[in-house]
Amino acid sequence: MKTYLDCIPCFVRQALDAARMASAEPEVHERMLREVLHWTSEMDLDEPPPALAQRIHRRLREVSGVPDPYREAKDRLNQMALNFLPELKAGIDAAADPLAMAVRLAIAGNVIDMGVNSNVEESDVRQSVSQALTEHFTGELNGFRRAVAEARNILYLADNAGEIAFDRLLIEQLLPAPVTLVVRGRPVINDATMADAHAVGLHEVVEIIDNGSDAPGTMLEDCSKEFRRRFAEADMILAKGQGNFETLSDESHNIFFLFKAKCPVIAAHAGLPLGTHALRRSNT
């Protein structure tokens, strides 16, 4: 997916939000904003949005001297999501179709995205869960179910901290299929890293690897050689979130994208109404 002009105001807003989170110094805020405005004037719009977001957040860490500006927020979001799990697990256990319920809930968790909303609260998550369970579902659930049954090697690309607790609900339904969870290689926004996967107990359930990258998506050319090998060998890939959709939607592979269309640009690109909870298969 390319970058659209409507992405540019979002980059500016996100940069200012992140700068204020990382530092109390107005000089840092102004410096970051001026640099981002300059970068957007020269950026290659054929690149996916996470390419510039990666550059912004690398520079923010450098300027602020804070290696993980969102760490405190991620810890809060992980705990908030964990508080939902007993209730949600009970709902899955009681469901007529536990896999379908787990898919819906995993997508609902994609609302925990500080790149879109820097002030995600419990009420936002509860509303997303309610929407996922009561509104029309857009997706290829039957094809997904068949692919899981046939899979010998599933790669699950996580998205955000907090959201990763909701991913655990779906991963538990996928087992005993062979699942490997993938997190970001280094901190960026509130994207999940190894620390977040451990925080929600996923190391007790599946193998976890990182992709070697600090992009808020999966830009294959920026990922480690080992991850690219695992990606190529997987016969089924689950890609959570908008960032993974932005970076992998043009890839020729058996990918199922699970995301909430939170942004008008992505909703239009996917041909979906804004706010849709979607399970979409790639054009393999």
Side-chain angles (χ1 to χ4, degrees):
M1 172 180 163
K2 70 175 187 177
T3 296
Y4 292 82
L5 294 178
D6 286 338
C7 298
I8 292 175
C10 187
F11 288 135
V12 175
R13 187 268 310 157
Q14 187 183 117
L16 184 56
D17 285 349
R20 286 171 171 164
M21 182 173 298
S23 172
E25 299 298 324
E27 295 81 3
V28 171
H29 307 162
E30 181 179 347
R31 183 175 178 182
M32 279 301 307
L33 209 57
R34 288 185 179 277
E35 290 192 24
V36 171
L37 289 168
H38 176 69
W39 292 342
T40 57
S41 71
E42 299 180 338
M43 68 183 295
D44 181 356
L45 294 177
D46 287 330
E47 291 188 327
L52 181 58
Q54 178 188 47
R55 185 177 183 184
I56 290 170
H57 289 277
R58 279 183 177 175
R59 183 61 174 150
L60 174 64
R61 296 192 297 272
E62 180 182 315
V63 169
S64 69
V66 180
D68 189 356
Y70 288 77
R71 183 68 265 164
E72 184 177 338
K74 289 191 287 188
D75 291 340
R76 176 182 68 84
L77 294 171
N78 285 332
Q79 187 55 57
M80 179 180 72
L82 284 171
N83 292 341
F84 278 89
L85 290 199
E87 173 187 347
L88 299 181
K89 282 184 176 180
I92 290 172
D93 291 342
D97 189 340
L99 179 62
M101 173 78 83
V103 167
R104 286 174 176 262
L105 292 174
I107 297 172
N110 188 230
V111 75
I112 308 176
D113 181 352
M114 295 186 72
V116 174
N117 176 8
S118 60
N119 296 299
V120 180
E121 299 294 342
E122 181 178 332
S123 58
D124 299 311
V125 180
R126 196 165 291 283
Q127 180 180 5
S128 186
V129 168
S130 176
Q131 179 185 353
L133 298 181
T134 59
E135 296 188 7
H136 175 69
F137 177 75
T138 300
E140 300 183 31
L141 190 56
N142 289 333
F144 178 82
R145 196 189 307 276
R146 287 193 299 271
V148 170
E150 296 168 0
R152 296 165 297 170
N153 182 358
I154 299 174
L155 208 59
Y156 193 115
L157 310 184
D159 191 15
N160 298 308
E163 177 183 353
I164 201 169
F166 286 71
D167 294 329
R168 178 170 179 166
L169 296 171
L170 177 52
I171 289 170
E172 289 174 344
Q173 291 299 310
L174 299 177
L175 300 176
V179 180
T180 300
L181 177 71
V182 183
V183 295
R184 307 290 186 237
R186 293 183 296 282
V188 59
I189 321 181
N190 73 305
D191 287 37
T193 61
M194 194 69 71
D196 302 297
H198 279 252
V200 301
L202 273 162
H203 61 293
E204 301 168 354
V205 180
V206 290
E207 178 190 9
I208 306 170
I209 64 171
D210 71 64
N211 68 2
S213 170
D214 61 349
T218 303
M219 299 192 301
L220 292 174
E221 68 279 5
D222 191 61
C223 293
S224 68
K225 182 178 179 180
E226 172 62 13
F227 169 75
R228 292 197 304 270
R229 180 185 68 80
R230 300 285 290 264
F231 185 93
E233 292 177 354
D235 54 24
M236 180 181 184
I237 295 169
L238 277 64
K240 283 298 301 296
Q242 293 190 150
N244 283 326
F245 179 71
E246 289 169 329
T247 48
L248 294 174
S249 59
D250 295 326
E251 288 294 322
S252 178
H253 211 92
N254 186 26
I255 306 174
F256 285 86
F257 297 99
L258 299 88
F259 63 96
K260 179 171 183 175
K262 304 180 290 290
C263 142
V265 170
I266 291 177
H269 180 77
L272 298 169
L274 185 65
T276 298
H277 289 71
L279 170 63
R280 167 159 294 199
R281 193 169 195 170
S282 62
N283 297 318
T284 53

